[in-house]
Amino acid sequence: MLEHLAKTDPKVAEVIRNELKRQQQVLELIPSENIVSPSVLDAVGSVLTNKYSEGYPRKRYYGGNEFADQAEELAISRAKELFGCEHVNVQPYSGSPANIEVYFALLQFGDKVMGMSLSEGGHLTHGHKVNFSGRAYHFVQYGVEKDTELLNYGKIEEIAKKEQPKMIVSGATAYPRQIDFKRFAEIAESIGAISMADISHIAGLIVSGAHPSPFPFTDVVTTTTHKTLRGPRSAIIMCKEKYAKPIDKAVFPGMQGGPHDHVTAAKAVCFAEALKPEFKDYGRQIVKNARALGEELSSQGLRLVTGGTDNHLLLVDLQPLNVTGKQAEEALDKANITVNKNTIPFDPRSPFDPSGIRLGTPTLTSRGMKEKQMEKVGELIARACKNWNSEQELGEVKKEVLALCGEFPVYEDL
Ligand code: DSN
């Protein structure tokens, strides 16, 4: 790897080599990350990056698009087969632009929309006040219940009936339980609103049958391709045929210029990989691993928001340990365990140093780890959190982390 770069730009080559080493030597538990296949890396690093293809297959504004068309058509047909959607646009650059493109396509500025609040598990683009979504549209935010920390669909329905939004957005980035997309679609339909599901975090679980699908009832579905789906850093928008035209127009020329053809090709590769039977085993193992990790953490005295998980992630409330999210994240970093600090619902602390950490199993599952290893990982996480200010103890944990990483190597040929 990097044979050319190493000669022409050793500084950047070194940065990349160090990042490779980091990925090989840490237990990566950020739930929105994963390890793509060497084939996805090949496509992302390919000559398709040189091409301009504004427009859509066979309707481009530039010549020379025979092969870019083929890449995009492969991505489209594979995405349709994978998700069972009527229409798909594979050009969005990433998840945030994809969501904004949906709003731009189907709403007028100032329209009322409902979305889950970031502080209770949603996403910036689901209406946070500092985000374009919250500035350009009138978002009404829903959250979880204080006692159960779960979505209350009856309450969401009540808010929808009272507020009469034009669109209801479902989906989350820090909600460890299943989302009832059918219920969301029914609520939207009952008030004549458009239903939109952002399945970015759980797309890989959905195509594996490890989480219920938002298809066929949801009007518009967005997903990133780089989380549980294990593809390149990008996104797609899927929708019912009746929304195809405005969605396509909003992506190009509404928001974007030329699509990133190299990434489109990598998305096609990722979809083909996710269509293989073994991907179903992978998705199911992610959930089994998250459950096993949660059980170990609970038995070590850590409190899990909602008491456990149905998906790929866990939200840990560190308050009983008297350690903050920031302190835990930094301590775990020293022990080569990568997590992110995260607010918990109704967090008394600030997002810069919240009360929780968010953990996910997609990357460790890609490395081949199973329930047995999750027990060990849980034990190491608990040990590091409890001893967050002991350099010596964190050093001991790091030794065990390195040994475990050595047993489950990644990118050995790079
Ligand atoms: N930043 C992503 C996450 O970590 O959940 C969502 O965009």
Side-chain angles (χ1 to χ4, degrees):
M1 181 180 88
L2 308 182
E3 67 268 32
H4 303 288
L5 191 65
K7 284 185 212 134
T8 62
D9 194 336
K11 279 194 182 151
V12 173
E14 196 189 349
V15 169
I16 296 172
R17 283 220 180 92
N18 284 340
E19 173 59 16
L20 170 63
K21 205 162 132 202
R22 189 194 69 80
Q23 291 185 17
Q24 290 168 326
Q25 295 186 346
V26 301
L27 292 175
E28 179 58 73
L29 283 136
I30 293 177
S32 44
E33 293 185 13
N34 213 326
I35 296 173
V36 301
S37 69
S39 308
V40 167
L41 285 182
D42 275 352
V44 172
S46 72
V47 293
L48 278 165
T49 194
N50 296 333
K51 193 68 199 97
Y52 251 115
S53 317
E54 286 179 358
Y56 288 101
R58 294 162 210 275
K59 285 172 278 179
R60 307 281 190 187
Y61 289 83
Y62 292 79
N65 269 304
E66 184 184 352
F67 303 111
D69 279 359
Q70 288 174 17
E72 189 162 337
E73 282 170 346
L74 278 171
I76 290 169
S77 62
R78 290 174 182 180
K80 282 186 175 173
E81 188 183 345
L82 184 62
F83 288 96
C85 56
E86 290 178 21
H87 177 78
V88 60
N89 187 307
V90 298
Q91 293 193 4
Y93 298 144
S94 203
S96 297
N99 287 348
I100 303 294
E101 283 154 6
V102 172
Y103 306 149
F104 191 48
L106 305 178
L107 302 169
Q108 300 298 318
F109 292 131
D111 272 353
K112 202 179 266 187
V113 195
M114 265 173 75
M116 188 171 182
S117 93
L118 177 66
S119 61
E120 290 173 47
H123 188 252
L124 273 172
T125 58
H126 297 182
H128 193 280
K129 60 181 188 306
V130 302
N131 184 261
F132 180 84
S133 56
R135 300 274 297 272
Y137 304 95
H138 178 176
F139 263 85
V140 175
Q141 304 263 266
Y142 60 84
V144 296
E145 293 296 290
K146 200 160 188 178
D147 50 347
T148 59
E149 299 170 317
L150 297 171
L151 289 168
N152 175 340
Y153 295 93
K155 208 171 196 176
I156 291 166
E157 186 170 15
E158 258 174 49
I159 303 173
K161 292 218 146 75
K162 180 171 165 263
E163 299 285 350
Q164 296 287 314
K166 211 168 153 191
M167 177 185 279
I168 301 181
V169 182
S170 58
T173 66
Y175 186 66
R177 296 297 181 175
Q178 284 194 355
I179 295 176
D180 191 342
F181 292 118
K182 191 158 188 283
R183 187 78 200 275
F184 267 111
E186 285 165 358
I187 295 171
E189 206 183 344
S190 75
I191 57 160
I194 296 166
S195 53
M196 170 182 159
D198 175 350
I199 60 167
S200 294
H201 263 258
I202 52 172
L205 307 186
I206 288 169
V207 301
S208 308
H211 188 292
S213 170
F215 297 103
F217 28 81
T218 310
D219 293 318
V220 189
V221 177
T222 58
T223 183
T224 51
T225 47
H226 51 274
K227 298 186 175 94
T228 47
L229 205 50
R230 208 165 58 185
R233 182 158 293 246
S234 196
I236 58 175
I237 302 172
M238 297 168 275
C239 62
K240 290 182 179 165
E241 196 57 49
K242 65 176 173 180
Y243 296 112
K245 263 205 177 127
I247 292 286
D248 286 351
K249 260 180 85 178
V251 174
F252 174 84
M255 296 285 293
Q256 298 188 174
H260 296 173
D261 296 318
H262 54 311
V263 183
T264 305
K267 284 186 254 196
V269 173
C270 146
F271 300 148
E273 289 176 355
L275 278 162
K276 289 190 181 149
E278 50 267 36
F279 196 87
K280 289 203 165 38
D281 299 333
Y282 167 63
R284 293 192 179 125
Q285 190 64 46
I286 292 177
V287 178
K288 287 187 205 161
N289 282 355
R291 286 214 180 106
L293 179 61
E295 278 161 24
E296 179 60 28
L297 292 170
S298 294
S299 78
Q300 295 278 344
L302 278 75
R303 190 186 87 80
L304 304 180
V305 169
T306 79
T309 182
D310 298 330
N311 58 25
H312 63 305
L313 72 81
L314 297 147
L315 200 52
V316 182
D317 175 6
L318 297 164
Q319 291 174 108
L321 296 188
N322 242 343
V323 51
T324 71
K326 187 163 177 261
Q327 286 165 337
E329 183 190 291
E330 286 170 7
L332 287 160
D333 251 339
K334 288 182 188 163
N336 279 28
I337 300 174
T338 312
V339 308
N340 70 277
K341 57 180 178 287
N342 214 95
T343 53
I344 57 167
F346 309 97
D347 203 322
R349 302 182 60 85
S350 92
F352 298 106
D353 191 5
S355 301
I357 49 172
R358 191 182 63 151
L359 311 172
T361 52
T363 303
L364 298 189
T365 309
S366 289
R367 288 181 85 144
M369 293 189 197
K370 297 223 160 94
E371 290 94 322
K372 183 167 169 271
Q373 287 75 38
M374 291 306 113
E375 269 180 46
K376 181 77 195 160
V377 173
E379 182 204 315
L380 294 171
I381 291 171
R383 211 164 119 198
C385 288
K386 288 174 189 170
N387 296 283
W388 65 275
N389 54 2
S390 162
E391 295 290 328
Q392 198 204 328
E393 194 63 30
L394 296 174
E396 292 301 317
V397 173
K398 181 173 170 176
K399 278 187 207 152
E400 297 201 36
V401 167
L402 288 172
L404 189 54
C405 289
E407 279 177 54
F408 293 86
V410 56
Y411 293 138
E412 280 181 294
D413 306 334
L414 292 189

